[in-house]
Amino acid sequence: MCGIVGAVAQRDVVGVLTEGLRRLEYRGYDSCGVAVLQHGAPRRVRSVERVANLADQVQEASLSGTIGVAHTRWATHGAPVTDNAHPIFSRDEIALVHNGIIENHEPLRDELKALGYVFESDTDTEVIAHLIHHTREQDPSRDLLTAVQRALQRLRGAYAIAVFAKNEPDRVIGARAGSPLVIGVGERGNYLASDAMALSGTAEHFIFLEEGDIAVLSCDGVHIVDRDGATVRREVQAQHTSHYAAELGPYRHYMQKEIFEQPDVVADATERVRSITPALFGPNAQRAFSEIDSLLLLACGTSYYSALTAKYWLESIAGIPTQVEIASEYRYRESVVNPCAMVVVVSQSGETADTLAALKHAQELGHHHTLAICNVPHSSMMRLTELQYLTGAGPEIGVASTKAFTTQLVALFLLALTLGKERGHVSADDEARALRQLHHLPAALNSVLALEPQIVSWAEALARKDHALFLGRGVHYPIALEGALKLKEISYVHAEAYPAGELKHGPLAIVTNEMPVITIAPNDALLEKLKSNIQEVRARGGQLYVLADAGTKIESRDGVRVIQLPEHYGPLSPILHVVPLQLLAYHTACARGTDVDKPRNLAKSVTVE
Ligand code: F6R
């Protein structure tokens, strides 16, 4: 989704701005732009091409300046054309970039038009720029901070902005309300961005703004006021450096790199766990866990599927009633509130608008026990919840989530063990066995990754198809859902997933000899049932692609292709079975020549509704 970078320094900031945009590219965008104050006036370059092209254009235009703002835009209001790209100007005096959506932009637009403002874009952003300009004109002091404060009071919606004005050449102002914004504190300048990663290499210390904060950045320092206009001090935090650098290295795509990082990130997540204790979820977890009688897991997309997998674990291992709901549904429906249910939000980014809103909604309804399972340390969800678990997968750049998913599963499995132990369902032997399995997971993942050549041959066949059906049973049903999501997201092959027991209730009608049916067939208690489902598919000519494991005893034959995972992994089997499905989606997408890391119409972090 949209990305913001801003800078004020004792040197030319154009390089910092374009490099920041480059680091934000992974989030998805359809246009980009940079503006600086040059020779006393805002100048900008905007493009509907990639950031690299923008950087060339910036050079050709000899753009330079010591204050500036930059943006990658993911279109919401107005088509992805240059006129709608940010920075947006107001009367060549105000330059502004914006993430989020202004809900009351229409009446404001009418009001500003009546005041003589001419709109040059279809964006809601232009309303903010003109509103700040107009408010500033009304104020004899012409103070940008005062104008921003007053203008923002009139906005409804969620946003983060960065803005500078022609007559205040020493400052950039940033504000957040619903969209993240972080300040990078440097020695010879100060910076801001919607994601700390944009500033890595530029700043070493960060201030994470709170909701409603407005920050004035100059070379001399950062001055922050809260939503009431009172000066506030926010903690300056040293940079969280992840050793999973956001560089591509020898891989063709970030998604491939991230799939192959899974043994390492899972090792990081499991090696430090020597015993199962509530402290894994923070210092207050013991008390909170003792006060709950059930769980409500809220998430979107891939994170929803990890939550769905966890339901099987939480109910079977911990014996705790667990509900899982898509965040965008939960936030708008009337639900029956059980204040003793702990709300668990699962999110890679910690900023997904629907999940965040669902969390706030749950809190308003009276859920005071909340836990975030999240991959971004200072994200909104991590800051709004009572308990936190950092999945520690490192930056995930590919839009399609992979390593974030497997580390979420590890976290949720640990949650099931912890609650199980607290509730007397997990014995010392159970705990020791589970820890042994967790510690062996990285090695098991490596042996699954070694199956890649076999998966490539499946992908070559799948790349020629328009549809695919995924089947799983029990705890592997959500893994089938995740496999189908991965495939459609990046290869654009239409894919659906069903619990295999549902076949006869409808989906069997679409099975013909043209239909690839990818079936997850671990050697678990449901295997015999699944084998009958496989027969049903084969009898209709369906082309079976079976992911078996040790002891499954399904052989390859005409119309049935089998890849056998080396081990059966008991309850943790979903963490192994998802990996071939990630690779299958990846190689199918490569064979179809799609933009794997930036699939069409999708963004990495969905910060708008
Ligand atoms: C799929 C994918 C999305 C995200 C979803 C939630 O590969 O990446 O479905 O899982 O947008 O995002 P987070 O986990 O950041 O809340």
Side-chain angles (χ1 to χ4, degrees), residues 299-304 346-352 355 381 396 398-402 404 408 482 485-486 489 603-606:
C300 301
T302 286
S303 298
Y304 171 71
V346 186
S347 173
Q348 190 285 126
S349 61
E351 302 293 348
T352 299
T355 313
M381 286 179 218
E396 191 178 64
V399 163
S401 188
T402 53
Q408 284 169 355
E482 171 61 3
L485 176 64
K486 285 287 92 88
E489 262 185 306
K604 180 67 189 161
S605 178
V606 185

Side-chain angles (χ1 to χ4, degrees), residues 233-279:
R233 290 183 70 81
R234 302 284 181 223
E235 194 187 343
V236 181
Q237 310 192 14
Q239 187 184 22
H240 172 80
T241 46
S242 168
H243 54 283
Y244 301 107
E247 304 301 332
L248 192 50
Y251 294 96
R252 245 178 101 187
H253 297 98
Y254 282 108
M255 183 181 177
Q256 186 187 28
K257 174 182 182 243
E258 287 157 7
I259 291 172
F260 278 86
E261 273 174 4
Q262 290 179 112
D264 288 344
V265 293
V266 167
D268 279 0
T270 53
E271 271 166 12
R272 61 191 156 98
V273 182
R274 292 287 139 198
S275 71
I276 299 299
T277 147

Side-chain angles (χ1 to χ4, degrees), residues 574-592:
I575 301 184
L576 296 188
H577 270 89
V578 76
V579 173
L581 298 180
Q582 295 168 342
L583 285 169
L584 183 62
Y586 172 72
H587 286 291
T588 306
C590 289
R592 288 167 70 97

